Each structure stands twice: as C-alpha cells, then as structure tokens.
Amino acid sequence: MKQFVLTLKSLRHRQIGLITLLFLVVVAAWLGAALAKRAGGAAETRLSVLALNEVMMLAIYVLPIIAAIVASRVVTTARDGGMDAKLRAIGVSPIRQFGANLAVTIVVTVLVAGFVLALALLASSMFGFSTPSNVVPIALSALLALVGDAVAVSAVHTWAATRFMQQGVTLGLAVVAAIGTSALPFAGLNHFSWILPWGLVSAANPVVGSTGGVVQISAVPLPAGIIAVIISLVWAAVFMLAIKIRKVEQ
C-alpha cells in the first residue's frame, strides 16, 4: 500500500488525470454517437444488450490503449523522477515496485471500463432501449469481462513499459494487439481470445451475436466473466514472475 501511495503521489505533475479525462471524453463522444445512431434505427436494433455489445467491442481497443498510456507514464515517472532509486534505497524489491505500478495502471483502466459500461447503460435508459428481464446478470458478466481484460492488459503493458525504455513500444504493442485481437471473431477464431491478454473482453462477451433482430446471449455469461477475471490474475502473476526472473538474471 505504501508503494501504491508513493506511486500515485509521483504522478501529481504528470497530468495523468487530465490525459485520462481527455481520453474518456473522446470515448464517450464515440460511444454516444454510436448509440444515438442506434436509437434512430429500426426497432430490433434499439436493445440495451446491443448497447452492451457496443461497449465490449469498443473495449477491445480502448482498454489496451489507456493501459499502455498509463503504464508508460507511471513507469517513466518512477524511473526518471528517481522514485525507483528511492524505493530500492529503503529495501523495496523490484517485484513490489512493479506491483505498485501495476496497481495504479489497473485502477485507472478499471475505472475507464466501468465508466464506459455505466455510460452505455445510462444511454440505453435515456434512449428508451428495450431491456430484457435478465439484464442484471448480463450486465454483471459484461462488467466481469471488462475488469478481467483491464487487469490482463494492465499487466502486459506495465511489463512492457518496465522492460523497454521507449514509451512508443508499449503503445505500439497495444494498438497492434488490439487490431489483431479484434479480427479473431470475424475469422471464426474467437476461442483463441481466451489465451490472449487483449482478448478476454471479446472471449467473455455475454452477447454472442445478432441475426435478424434476434440477439444471442451466452448460455453461461456469469461463469465466463468469472473465468476471465481468473485468467487475468494468472497473467498478472506471469508478468510479475517475469520481472523476478529478469532481476535474478541481472
């Protein structure tokens, strides 16, 4: 907790809050325009579950990018501002430093995910979208999938920011991985999304598809969301282990 607080304090002059806010404004504008267009469409498209699906598809791009931006700022600030040296001087291990950086990245990324989901639900209500009786478990499973994806992409991009000095590497990885992952469902390979940090939100999406106005919902939405969270924790552990192994080799 101490390292987490120190990491947050070190970001006071790095405009991370402003960057996140501007990012949210852009995402909110994009999502708002998409839902407004849906509200003016045919009746069979004005469904709250399809609004949730918009969020899940958008999250494939949004979460890796915001995680990469935050992770790069956090790690660079700690490295250039001397925070790493101060923590090492008081006996803080590299794994604990990585854990603090990862925790900050996760918090910001999860908040962005929660904001986008809440915005979609609010917009659905405002536009009068049709809502199924089981919307609560569907929305909960969507939230779990988003949280799982946020944790996984935060882990991989915090590791990348720690491993590579250039901030562009982390952001470039996020963009390329997001584009590649988003193509898997269209290629009939969405099952591979389960093994990718960037693919959990797509793999655990409770909305399977929509044909002729009939929306297909996953038969096990909540278990899928829970599995996504568990897999994300495994990814976090894997990258913490990678940091430990690298430190031992050095």
Side-chain angles (χ1 to χ4, degrees), residues 7 10-11 14 72-87 97 101:
T7 302
S10 70
L11 295 172
R14 291 287 180 163
S72 295
R73 301 293 287 182
V74 169
V75 173
T76 302
T77 299
R79 187 162 49 213
D80 297 347
M83 180 59 67
D84 282 353
K86 292 177 183 178
L87 291 175
Q97 293 178 41
N101 294 340

Side-chain angles (χ1 to χ4, degrees), residues 33 104 106 118:
V104 172
I106 288 175

Side-chain angles (χ1 to χ4, degrees), residues 168-217:
V169 173
T170 306
L171 185 57
L173 174 62
V175 173
V176 172
I179 294 174
T181 303
S182 67
L184 292 179
F186 300 100
L189 301 172
N190 198 38
H191 50 281
F192 285 112
S193 297
W194 284 108
I195 62 175
L196 299 173
W198 310 272
L200 293 178
V201 70
S202 177
N205 187 352
V207 182
V208 177
S210 175
T211 306
V214 178
V215 181
Q216 296 175 296
I217 303 298

Side-chain angles (χ1 to χ4, degrees), residues 223-241:
I226 294 171
I227 291 172
V229 172
I230 293 172
I231 293 175
S232 73
L233 295 176
V234 172
W235 276 116
V238 165
F239 286 109
M240 291 190 76
L241 180 61

Side-chain angles (χ1 to χ4, degrees), residues 6-228:
L6 289 173
T7 302
L8 280 179
K9 288 182 177 179
S10 70
L11 295 172
R12 285 179 298 178
H13 305 297
R14 291 287 180 163
Q15 295 85 37
I16 194 67
L18 179 59
I19 292 172
T20 304
L21 180 61
L22 292 174
F23 190 82
L24 286 175
V25 169
V26 173
V27 171
W30 191 97
L31 182 60
L35 295 181
K37 181 179 179 180
R38 184 176 294 280
E44 59 267 21
T45 67
R46 298 196 295 270
L47 304 174
S48 60
V49 290
L50 291 181
L52 283 179
N53 190 51
E54 295 269 11
V55 170
M56 306 303 275
M57 294 298 99
L58 181 61
I60 294 176
Y61 301 95
V62 169
L63 298 187
I65 292 174
I66 190 63
I69 292 173
V70 174
S72 295
R73 301 293 287 182
V74 169
V75 173
T76 302
T77 299
R79 187 162 49 213
D80 297 347
M83 180 59 67
D84 282 353
K86 292 177 183 178
L87 291 175
R88 284 195 298 270
I90 61 176
V92 177
S93 67
I95 291 182
R96 290 175 65 185
Q97 293 178 41
F98 176 81
N101 294 340
L102 175 58
V104 172
T105 305
I106 288 175
V107 167
V108 176
T109 308
V110 168
L111 287 176
V112 169
F115 169 82
V116 176
L117 178 61
L119 181 61
L121 293 174
L122 179 61
S124 295
S125 177
M126 291 176 58
F127 288 131
F129 287 175
S130 178
T131 302
S133 58
N134 60 339
V135 67
V136 173
I138 293 174
L140 181 57
S141 66
L143 177 60
L144 289 172
L146 288 167
V147 169
D149 196 82
V151 172
V153 297
S154 294
V156 65
H157 292 298
T158 303
W159 171 83
T162 304
R163 179 66 178 81
F164 304 103
M165 296 289 290
Q166 300 86 353
Q167 293 187 44
V169 173
T170 306
L171 185 57
L173 174 62
V175 173
V176 172
I179 294 174
T181 303
S182 67
L184 292 179
F186 300 100
L189 301 172
N190 198 38
H191 50 281
F192 285 112
S193 297
W194 284 108
I195 62 175
L196 299 173
W198 310 272
L200 293 178
V201 70
S202 177
N205 187 352
V207 182
V208 177
S210 175
T211 306
V214 178
V215 181
Q216 296 175 296
I217 303 298
S218 171
V220 286
L222 277 177
I226 294 171
I227 291 172

